[in-house]
Amino acid sequence: MTTFVLFGGTGDLAKRKIIPALYSAFLNGRLDPNFHFYGAAREALTDDEFRTRVSDSISQYSKKDAVGTPEQLTAFLALTFYLKMDAGVDSDFELLKKSIPDPDQQPTLFYLATGPDIFIPVVRQLSKHQLVGKEARVVLEKPLGRDAQSARDINQALRTCLKENQIYRIDHYLGKEMVQNLLALRFANLFLEPLWNRTWIHDVQISIAEQVGVEARGNFYDHTGAMRDMVQNHLLQLLSIVAMEAPINSAPDSIRDEKVKVLHALHKFTPEEVSKKTVRGQYRAGAVDGQPVIGYQNEPGVPAQSRTETFVAIRAEIDNWRWAGVPFYLRTGKRMASRTAEITINFKPIPYSIFGASNRNVRSNRLVISLQPDESVELFLKAKEPGEGIHLSDVMLNLDFAEASTSRRVEAYERLLLDAMRGDLTLFVRDDELGAAWDWVDPIMSAWQTDAEGLKSYIAGSWGPAASSYLLAQNGSSWGEEFVEN
Ligand code: BG6
């Protein structure tokens, strides 16, 4: 019998991602038939009231092909229960202990979909009430901490109660199909490896653009900002997979050993470098897809004078033999022109063009790995246009994963929940990776605190502040959407 206890069970993340993921796993027969799901939160709710919320979240947020039949929903709800719990109340944990099977004997997953400030109290309570037995695992949502020190404090407290192999630090980008495919692309194919270095690559761009604003999470977001919400975790995880050396095998620690080396090799910025190599912005009112939207400071839960960044662009550098001198441009933003997540590898220009002046400025080869909205790998090559004379243009070798495979797509959260239930740590973040990521991010955030003028504004529905384009232009590059073929 497997038990799944979701702290923060009434929260936004539970509603949008975790409950639909759990239900999809249920529909696909991936859960133990004796599975029990407990939502836990401070609100006083009956089992039936919680079931109504679970059902609403499934109808609102599940993919169309993961809604199931009314009978399947009823069966899932029959396995669903609710516990009113407060991290500071001992008797709540006593009740939890009485309600679930012994975690020393039966697989038990405690998922902390809460703010990082209550990770330590909850884990201490679980430990105090002997709920972290041999079969227990604890999943922790990001951001884990607010900075390097608080992340260290959390990790240290976790280690006093749990073994490292019981701790699942989630970064849902690692559960995305294309992120795993990136490992296959790099380490199951020969032709890229000789080109994958400073000799042939001009720059790398990793960009996650969102059209949504902060939605109902204004208060949380205002204390977090884009750096903690996206860069410290999702963007640095993508960077480490793009830049890592080949691991000795695919065991979780072999992969994580290589990723952490990249994070350690990231060049740490001085305050002067922060002002030259980073851009941060906040959206003001504008229009997304033709619909007017309000500015960040008018979002519910956000103070009118907020200085929190909703956009970040950084020129990162990796100080090692493979990558020295190659800029890794990282970018993320809310309320951007379109929703895309992609990694672009820009190769260096050819040394000399034999095709004359009119063809001299064509863009060099690039490889674009799209994570969303579509999953694809596109290699842009040069070819001659049909007709007289030689006019070069881009042609694309396109591997479209939706066309290439009809297998069921498993959403990131579902994949990661199932991995955690199976005890597979490969796609979770180890404490040293997390520490190294915070160590790189910390000096940037500190420098920003003393540079209030550095926060630029951008119009909702644009591609962010103009300074972000300048960051690349200094090195003869431009973001993917800015390139116009001549
Ligand atoms: C989450 C962030 O980790 O990732 C959100 O907290 C963001 O702010 C989300 O919207 C983006 O995830 P995805 O999978 O929609 O790109």
Side-chain angles (χ1 to χ4, degrees):
M1 174 169 195
T2 302
T3 306
F4 180 76
V5 182
L6 179 60
F7 292 93
T10 56
D12 206 54
L13 183 69
K15 188 167 72 183
R16 283 164 191 272
K17 301 277 190 187
I18 302 170
I19 292 170
L22 206 56
Y23 184 58
S24 169
F26 170 79
L27 289 182
N28 287 291
R30 306 299 309 281
L31 297 181
D32 177 348
N34 281 324
F35 168 84
H36 279 177
F37 165 37
Y38 291 85
R42 277 189 297 199
E43 212 175 326
L45 292 179
T46 63
D47 286 341
D48 278 340
E49 284 166 337
F50 183 60
R51 287 176 187 138
T52 305
R53 294 205 189 177
V54 168
S55 161
D56 289 347
S57 119
I58 289 169
S59 57
Q60 212 178 335
Y61 295 107
S62 283
K63 288 248 146 86
K64 280 194 212 73
D65 59 353
V67 184
T69 61
E71 293 73 31
Q72 285 172 312
L73 180 60
T74 307
F76 181 72
L77 295 178
L79 305 171
T80 300
F81 306 91
Y82 184 76
L83 288 170
K84 178 187 174 311
M85 293 194 68
D86 187 316
V89 179
D90 274 311
S91 56
D92 288 353
F93 287 82
E94 276 307 313
L95 180 63
L96 173 64
K97 193 174 175 189
K98 285 195 196 116
S99 308
I100 64 173
D102 182 2
D104 231 358
Q105 311 289 337
Q106 301 290 336
T108 310
L109 205 65
F110 297 106
Y111 194 126
L112 276 57
T114 63
D117 45 327
I118 71 155
F119 288 173
I120 298 179
V122 170
V123 171
R124 287 208 173 120
Q125 287 282 28
L126 292 174
S127 167
K128 181 171 164 191
H129 293 89
Q130 289 96 42
L131 283 160
V132 288
K134 283 200 297 293
E135 297 293 327
R137 295 175 190 133
V138 176
V139 182
L140 301 150
E141 254 305 325
K142 56 140 276 275
L144 207 136
R146 287 194 56 72
D147 51 23
Q149 188 54 49
S150 59
R152 245 171 241 126
D153 293 344
I154 294 173
N155 278 324
Q156 205 173 342
L158 293 176
R159 272 194 298 269
T160 60
C161 304
L162 299 161
K163 298 196 192 70
E164 179 64 27
N165 66 7
Q166 292 181 299
I167 307 173
Y168 290 71
R169 299 175 192 82
I170 209 161
D171 181 317
H172 79 277
Y173 264 69
L174 293 180
K176 289 191 189 274
E177 195 61 45
M178 277 309 289
V179 176
Q180 296 157 62
N181 232 319
L182 193 51
L183 287 171
L185 184 72
R186 285 205 55 204
F187 302 121
N189 295 293
L190 186 70
F191 76 103
L192 280 175
E193 176 55 22
L195 304 176
W196 210 255
N197 57 49
R198 63 192 303 275
T199 310
W200 304 104
I201 292 179
H202 182 271
D203 64 78
V204 176
Q205 300 176 9
I206 305 177
S207 170
I208 306 178
E210 297 186 88
Q211 284 190 316
V212 290
V214 291
E215 301 176 291
R217 302 192 306 155
N219 186 32
F220 158 82
Y221 193 88
D222 202 61
H223 288 96
T224 307
M227 188 67 148
R228 292 187 182 92
D229 192 42
M230 300 292 287
V231 181
Q232 186 273 338
N233 29 71
H234 304 328
L235 281 162
L236 287 185
Q237 282 295 327
L238 295 181
L239 174 142
S240 63
I241 296 174
V242 171
M244 72 197 253
E245 297 300 316
I248 53 167
N249 56 36
S250 62
D253 276 329
S254 306
I255 295 176
R256 300 194 294 183
D257 284 348
E258 296 306 329
K259 286 197 307 176
V260 77
K261 284 186 205 161
V262 174
L263 297 172
H264 283 309
L266 275 173
H267 173 76
K268 292 199 183 60
F269 293 161
T270 61
E272 295 70 45
E273 284 174 313
V274 172
S275 63
K276 291 198 186 107
K277 296 181 182 176
T278 74
V279 174
R280 70 194 204 279
Q282 188 187 77
Y283 63 83
R284 53 178 200 270
V288 174
D289 272 350
Q291 297 301 316
V293 295
I294 55 174
Y296 177 71
Q297 295 181 348
N298 295 109
E299 297 278 11
V302 173
Q305 304 301 320
S306 169
R307 308 295 296 158
T308 299
E309 78 286 353
T310 60
F311 173 97
V312 175
I314 305 180
R315 176 195 160 128
E317 285 144 29
I318 301 172
D319 289 341
N320 66 17
W321 274 40
R322 189 187 279 266
W323 295 115
V326 179
F328 276 69
Y329 296 109
L330 307 178
R331 175 177 72 173
T332 187
K334 298 257 182 221
R335 289 283 188 231
M336 305 265 287
S338 66
R339 175 177 182 251
T340 57
E342 58 188 31
I343 300 167
T344 304
I345 314 290
N346 282 317
F347 291 95
K348 289 190 171 169
I350 51 171
Y352 166 73
S353 172
I354 62 167
F355 296 108
S358 62
N359 286 309
R360 214 153 266 158
N361 293 327
V362 286
R363 190 176 177 174
S364 42
N365 301 133
R366 67 191 188 280
L367 182 74
V368 181
I369 301 156
S370 296
L371 277 54
Q372 57 197 33
D374 302 317
E375 294 170 348
S376 64
V377 177
E378 297 167 339
L379 179 62
F380 289 83
L381 303 171
K382 297 290 154 231
K384 175 191 167 302
E385 282 183 14
E388 284 178 38
I390 294 199
H391 295 288
L392 301 178
S393 63
D394 266 345
V395 288
M396 186 174 69
L397 293 179
N398 182 3
L399 173 55
D400 180 329
F401 282 83
E403 280 175 15
S405 163
T406 51
S407 309
R408 176 175 88 91
R409 287 278 175 288
V410 181
E411 288 291 309
Y413 269 98
E414 179 181 345
R415 164 80 204 254
L416 294 172
L417 284 176
L418 292 170
D419 280 1
M421 287 180 196
R422 263 199 310 267
D424 182 345
L425 280 156
T426 313
L427 300 176
F428 294 85
V429 182
R430 205 169 58 189
D431 62 342
D432 53 350
E433 282 182 81
L434 188 83
W438 278 120
D439 284 342
W440 184 71
V441 155
D442 257 12
I444 302 177
M445 291 192 304
S446 311
W448 283 354
Q449 266 168 17
T450 55
D451 168 33
E453 294 307 301
L455 181 76
K456 314 276 182 234
S457 75
Y458 62 99
I459 300 173
S462 69
W463 283 101
S468 133
S469 303
Y470 181 64
L471 190 69
L472 275 68
Q474 289 166 310
N475 189 41
S477 294
S478 53
W479 294 109
E481 75 281 352
E482 289 168 352
F483 184 76
V484 183
E485 182 120 22
N486 40 13

